[in-house]
């Protein structure tokens, strides 16, 4: 059997200040009340999360904003290996039946103890909502065996089960059964998990407030990636929604914010030169163009191939990441750090920058001057900057590209729910641990080709990782040569900035704020 083992004057002044202040200013710190002497961490994020409901959204803002609250049965260590979190152990003999022994005495933020019934309800909802599950969990069943044991029975064996369960993207967060069962189609309405911080308030377009969960029970193993010991060393955390870049930078420099997302790369030297600040540069994601493969002109393979052939990837990436230190050119769908899955298959179709060849392909297609609606956002500077260059490159081959700019939640809504309103969109995909978790290959996005789905199924049901890789190597080659559900532009590092008084920040698919302290 295999086992896989966070006095009155003062009052008057305060009332005057509150009365004079505006609660509508972007980045307002009106939610930060530190009169009790509690430690407070103030984080400026660059885009509002569409939700904190983990399984529902692929947005990295949702991933990062929800990880304070929720935990899963498994998580990933710094090597992207699946390890237990809320599960004490998991055993399997055949990669088909898995027995999870739960940690006992784990409390939800509402004070109730987590039991197997909560896990079962959460896992069924995760299978229904998340796109990372692929075919691994088709017709899977979860059953409670007593209060602290859960049994997963797959329809078919899969060597990808644990990696998928541990994914940080659309994570399988455990919630109380009654919240899961009462959740409307739009998502859960109460954010209650087992994590080191609990949800307090979400003031739309201003901030999200979390507070230390006093009854949190950390693991006793060393912190490693998203795994191991989590400690809430700070009493209150505020995520301020600050979409304006200059406001985030100014707030970081003046000390209004302790940590800031979305630092423009042009500020790298300036922030490092500030004696009070430092930067974090960490691998983040692949920048890519997604196509509407359901209806419209982008369903024509030759149109997609012409677009890919025309693009000068280096020129596009340099527009957003103006230093080779900030990005890399790579044809791999899987991140180069996921060594078990990385392949260069199909790389001859990457970064061709062949305008004349692209024009010829476009002439052979069914394209007849139709408007190509290209969705992008200014919420993320790199999305906007890369979309500008791509638009100009595609106009060179005769495509009538119309760049349409929205806030990021609107882009996601149009892309996911209004297929008649777009042809292309600019996006990025954070690191995943197995190919079936790739957003661009999921049924909701690009996985609408039978052979792609067939090869994904072969990967998911392969008895060994080695056999699964052979299928993946074949599939990536065909994705570049024939299908092109996306155009992978390249990988990039994310740049964060923080005050030096904030200590202990680590990153793995986003910043980690448990085990972080403030040295005043």
């Amino acid at each position: 059997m295999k086992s896989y083992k966070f006095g009155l004057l003062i009052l008057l002044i305060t009332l005057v200040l509150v009365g004079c202040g505006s609660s509508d200013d972007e980045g307002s710190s009106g939610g930060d009340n530190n009169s009790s002497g509690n430690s407070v961490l103030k984080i400026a994020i660059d885009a509002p999360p569409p939700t904190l409901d983990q399984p529902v959204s692929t947005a990295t803002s949702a991933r990062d904003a929800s990880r304070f609250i929720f935990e899963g049965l498994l998580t990933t260590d710094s090597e992207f290996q699946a390890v237990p979190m809320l599960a004490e152990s998991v055993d399997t003999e055949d990669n088909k039946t898995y027995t999870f022994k739960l940690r006992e005495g784990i409390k939800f933020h509402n004070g109730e103890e987590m039991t197997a019934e909560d896990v079962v309800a959460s896992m069924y909802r995760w299978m229904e909502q998340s796109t990372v599950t692929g075919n691994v969990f088709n017709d899977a069943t979860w059953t409670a065996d007593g209060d602290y044991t859960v049994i997963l029975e797959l329809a078919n064996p899969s060597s990808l089960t644990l990696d998928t369960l541990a994914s940080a993207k659309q994570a399988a967060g455990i919630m109380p059964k009654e919240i899961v069962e009462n959740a409307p189609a739009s998502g859960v309405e109460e954010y209650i998990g087992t994590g080191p911080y609990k949800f307090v308030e979400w003031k739309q377009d201003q901030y999200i407030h979390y507070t230390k969960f006093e009854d949190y029970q950390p693991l006793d193993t060393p912190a490693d990636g998203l795994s191991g010991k989590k400690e809430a060393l700070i009493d209150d955390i505020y995520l301020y929604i600050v979409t304006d870049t200059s406001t985030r930078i100014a707030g970081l420099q003046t000390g209004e914010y302790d940590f800031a997302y979305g630092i423009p790369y042009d500020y790298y030297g300036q922030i490092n030169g500030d004696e009070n600040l430092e930067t974090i540069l960490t691998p983040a994601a692949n920048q890519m163009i997604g196509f509407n493969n359901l209806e419209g002109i982008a369903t024509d393979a030759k149109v997609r191939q012409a677009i890919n052939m025309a693009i000068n990837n280096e020129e596009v990436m340099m527009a957003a990441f103006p230093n080779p230190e900030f990005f890399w050119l790579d044809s791999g769908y899987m991140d180069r750090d996921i060594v078990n899955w990385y392949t260069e298959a199909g790389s001859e179709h990457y970064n061709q920058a062949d305008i004349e060849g692209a024009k010829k392909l476009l002439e052979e297609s069914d394209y007849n001057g139709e408007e190509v609606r290209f969705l992008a956002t200014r919420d993320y500077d790199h999305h906007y900057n890369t979309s500008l260059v791509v638009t100009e490159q595609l106009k060179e081959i005769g495509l009538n590209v119309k760049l349409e700019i929205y806030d990021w939640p609107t882009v996601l809504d149009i892309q996911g729910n209004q297929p008649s309103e777009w042809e292309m969109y600019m996006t990025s995909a954070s690191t995943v641990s197995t190919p079936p978790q790739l957003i661009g290959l999921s049924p909701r996005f690009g996985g609408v080709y039978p052979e792609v789905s067939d090869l994904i199924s072969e990967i998911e049901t392969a008895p060994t990782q080695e056999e699964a890789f052979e299928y993946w190597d074949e599939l990536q080659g065909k994705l570049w040569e024939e299908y092109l559900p996306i155009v992978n532009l390249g990988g990039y590092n994310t740049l964060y900035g923080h005050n030096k008084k904030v200590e202990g920040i680590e990153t793995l698919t986003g910043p980690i704020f448990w085990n972080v302290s403030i040295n005043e």
Side-chain angles (χ1 to χ4, degrees), residues 69-101:
I69 307 169
F70 299 109
E71 298 175 313
L73 291 172
L74 308 174
T75 191
T76 53
D77 63 18
S78 57
E79 300 296 323
F80 291 95
Q81 299 299 305
V83 294
M85 177 49 69
L86 293 178
E88 181 178 287
S89 64
V90 51
D91 298 311
T92 183
E93 293 180 339
D94 55 5
N95 283 340
K96 184 177 180 181
T97 301
Y98 295 82
T99 301
F100 296 85
K101 180 71 174 70

Side-chain angles (χ1 to χ4, degrees), residues 28 277 414:
S28 167
L277 304 176
I414 296 172

Side-chain angles (χ1 to χ4, degrees), residues 339-474:
V339 295
N340 289 341
W341 292 105
Y342 179 74
T343 174
E344 294 181 350
S347 59
E348 65 272 20
H349 300 284
Y350 174 74
N351 194 24
Q352 297 174 76
D354 184 352
I355 296 296
E356 295 307 314
K359 286 180 179 178
K360 186 174 184 300
L361 271 175
L362 200 61
E363 289 172 0
E364 297 170 1
S365 75
D366 293 330
Y367 181 68
N368 193 31
E370 298 93 335
E371 191 172 74
V372 179
R373 293 161 296 182
F374 187 13
L375 307 179
T377 185
R378 298 199 72 152
D379 288 355
Y380 298 112
D381 290 340
H382 56 290
H383 282 11
Y384 181 66
N385 292 335
T386 51
S387 68
L388 291 176
V389 179
V390 168
T391 297
E392 293 307 309
Q393 290 181 355
L394 297 185
K395 285 180 177 179
E396 285 189 55
I397 66 171
L399 275 178
N400 180 19
V401 181
K402 180 185 179 184
L403 186 60
E404 298 187 345
I405 305 299
Y406 302 95
D407 61 76
W408 184 237
T410 301
V411 170
L412 292 176
D413 178 64
I414 296 172
Q415 184 273 332
N417 301 311
Q418 303 176 51
S420 64
E421 300 300 316
W422 66 284
E423 282 71 47
M424 302 163 50
Y425 79 116
M426 182 63 73
T427 188
S428 57
S430 56
T431 302
V432 295
S433 54
T434 66
Q437 298 176 39
L438 290 163
I439 294 298
L441 305 186
S442 71
R444 295 185 190 178
F445 294 83
V448 297
Y449 310 106
E451 189 174 4
V452 173
S453 297
D454 290 345
L455 282 168
I456 288 289
S457 295
E458 295 286 3
I459 293 168
E460 292 170 324
T461 58
T464 67
Q465 202 280 330
E466 291 75 17
E467 291 177 71
F469 176 78
E470 291 180 10
Y471 288 117
W472 169 238
D473 188 64
E474 178 186 353

Side-chain angles (χ1 to χ4, degrees), residues 54-303:
Q54 282 195 320
V56 170
S57 178
T58 63
T60 57
S61 56
R63 177 200 68 194
D64 290 0
S66 64
R67 64 170 41 161
F68 296 93
I69 307 169
F70 299 109
E71 298 175 313
L73 291 172
L74 308 174
T75 191
T76 53
D77 63 18
S78 57
E79 300 296 323
F80 291 95
Q81 299 299 305
V83 294
M85 177 49 69
L86 293 178
E88 181 178 287
S89 64
V90 51
D91 298 311
T92 183
E93 293 180 339
D94 55 5
N95 283 340
K96 184 177 180 181
T97 301
Y98 295 82
T99 301
F100 296 85
K101 180 71 174 70
L102 304 182
R103 293 166 58 197
E104 298 185 20
I106 299 298
K107 296 290 185 66
F108 284 114
H109 298 153
N110 61 5
E112 299 296 322
E113 184 182 11
M114 181 193 75
T115 69
E117 294 290 345
D118 301 302
V119 173
V120 169
S122 297
M123 299 316 295
Y124 272 113
R125 183 169 183 272
W126 173 70
M127 291 194 306
E128 177 185 324
Q129 297 288 335
S130 179
T131 64
V132 304
T133 56
N135 297 308
V136 173
F137 293 87
N138 285 352
D139 300 319
T141 61
W142 294 83
T143 56
D145 182 9
D147 286 340
Y148 304 111
T149 301
V150 175
I151 299 171
L152 164 64
E153 185 76 29
L154 299 178
N156 298 291
S158 176
S159 60
L160 309 186
T161 307
L162 301 183
D163 284 338
T164 306
L165 280 168
S167 174
K169 185 185 291 291
Q170 291 188 283
I174 305 303
M175 311 177 191
K177 178 182 177 182
E178 63 270 19
I179 289 179
V180 172
E181 293 179 341
N182 293 322
S186 57
V188 297
E189 296 179 331
E190 293 182 82
Y191 301 120
I192 296 177
T194 63
Y197 288 91
K198 60 182 181 180
F199 174 81
V200 178
E201 178 187 21
W202 186 345
K203 195 162 187 180
Q204 288 293 334
D205 301 322
Q206 293 190 49
Y207 61 80
I208 305 171
H209 176 200
Y210 314 82
T211 194
K212 177 179 182 177
F213 180 38
E214 297 291 351
D215 291 331
Y216 181 72
Q217 298 185 33
L219 289 167
D220 58 6
T221 54
D224 182 19
L226 296 173
S227 70
K229 187 174 185 178
K230 300 179 182 179
E231 289 188 277
L233 302 178
I234 294 169
D235 296 307
D236 291 278
I237 296 178
Y238 288 84
L239 294 188
Y240 291 105
I241 300 162
V242 190
T243 59
D244 181 71
T245 300
S246 61
T247 303
R248 287 196 309 279
I249 298 295
L252 182 65
Q253 292 172 327
T254 62
E256 182 177 2
Y257 307 121
D258 303 308
F259 185 99
Y261 279 66
I263 301 296
Y265 300 90
D266 291 343
Y267 284 84
Y268 182 59
Q270 180 179 334
I271 290 178
N272 278 332
D274 188 317
E275 63 179 7
N276 297 312
L277 304 176
E278 62 184 38
T279 58
I280 298 175
L281 196 62
T282 183
N286 280 8
Q287 191 73 4
M288 64 189 194
I289 300 167
F291 292 114
N292 185 341
N293 296 305
L294 299 175
E295 58 182 84
I297 194 63
T299 61
D300 187 334
K302 285 191 178 295
V303 171

